[in-house]
Amino acid sequence: MRTIHTPDDPPAKGFYALLTASITPRPIAWVSSVSADGVPNLAPYSFFTVACADPAILSVTSIGRKDTYRNVVETGEFVVNIGAESLMERINATSAPVGPEVDEFALSGLTAEPSEVVSAPRVAEAPIAFECVRHDVIDLGTSAMLLGRVVSVAISGDVLASDGLPDFDSLLPPSRLGRHQWGYAPRTRELPRPRK
C-alpha cells in the first residue's frame, strides 16, 4: 500500500520535507557572490545541477530571495564551488541565517581568493570552482532558479585524474539528504552506456 499526497493534502511536514527526503543524494553548490556594496557572501544550495552542456550553464535554486539571489540579480556574477567531505562542517556553517552585512568567509574561517574572470571570490579550500555570469533568473513561486553560464573553471591538481577530469574518489564531494542528514561520497562502479 502507498501513501498518497497532493498539493491539497500535503504531508504533515510539508512538501519541502518530502522532496528533500525523497530526492537524494543532492549535490551541493557552495555559492560565493559579492553584494553591490562589496560584501562577500557564501552559502550552500542543494537544489543544484547542470542545466546545459553547450554552452555550459549551471542551475541553482534559491528557496526564497536570499542574499545570493540579490547579489546575482544586482551584480550578474557568482561562483559555484564544489566542496569535499573534509569541508562538510564549514559548508554547513555557511548556511547560518545571518544578515547581508556578514562575510561568511570570515565567519567560517575560509579563504576568499580572487577568481579568474568574475568579481565574486572563490573558496580557496574548495577543489573545484565554476565561475559564472548570470544567464537568467527564473522566478518560480516562492523560489528562484539562478542560471549561470560558466566562464572559467579552476580545478585543484589534487583531484585530477590522468585523463584531465576530476576523479570522484579524490574529490569526495558531500551531498545533502533529508532532514539534517548529509551524505558521504558513495561507492562507485563502472557501467558504460549501451551503444547502437
Side-chain angles (χ1 to χ4, degrees):
M1 175 175 277
R2 292 179 182 257
T3 299
I4 307 299
H5 293 291
T6 67
D8 294 328
D9 182 25
K13 292 186 180 280
F15 262 100
Y16 174 83
L18 177 62
L19 289 168
T20 57
S22 302
I23 302 170
T24 61
R26 295 184 312 283
I28 301 168
W30 202 9
V31 180
S32 51
S33 60
V34 65
S35 72
D37 296 330
V39 179
N41 180 264
L42 182 60
Y45 290 86
S46 67
F47 287 19
F48 158 60
T49 193
V50 176
C52 185
D54 185 17
I57 295 175
L58 303 182
S59 169
V60 177
T61 297
S62 174
I63 307 299
R65 307 312 193 260
K66 302 175 185 176
D67 296 341
T68 300
Y69 168 86
R70 186 185 61 255
N71 293 349
V72 171
V73 168
E74 291 179 357
T75 70
E77 298 179 341
F78 62 101
V79 179
V80 172
N81 301 275
I82 304 297
E85 286 179 356
S86 61
L87 296 167
M88 195 180 291
E89 285 80 11
R90 292 165 102 180
I91 296 170
N92 188 51
T94 61
S95 69
V98 297
E101 73 285 353
V102 176
D103 177 349
E104 285 88 355
F105 282 93
L107 185 69
S108 54
L110 292 159
T111 309
E113 70 177 9
S115 292
E116 300 299 314
V117 178
V118 302
S119 60
R122 60 186 184 227
V123 179
E125 292 82 358
I128 303 175
F130 292 92
E131 298 178 27
C132 300
V133 295
R134 184 184 63 236
H135 176 78
D136 201 357
V137 175
I138 302 171
D139 289 321
L140 301 167
T142 60
S143 300
M145 182 181 294
L146 311 174
L147 296 172
R149 181 171 50 84
V150 177
V151 293
S152 181
V153 185
I155 307 170
S156 169
D158 294 341
V159 300
L160 283 178
S162 58
D163 64 358
L165 298 174
D167 174 63
F168 186 78
D169 292 328
S170 298
L171 180 60
L172 296 175
S175 60
R176 283 290 284 124
L177 309 173
R179 301 170 189 85
H180 299 293
Q181 297 171 315
W182 287 63
Y184 290 95
R187 58 195 181 113
T188 63
R189 64 174 283 200
E190 292 287 330
L191 190 62
R193 289 184 181 186
R195 298 187 177 199
K196 290 184 180 180

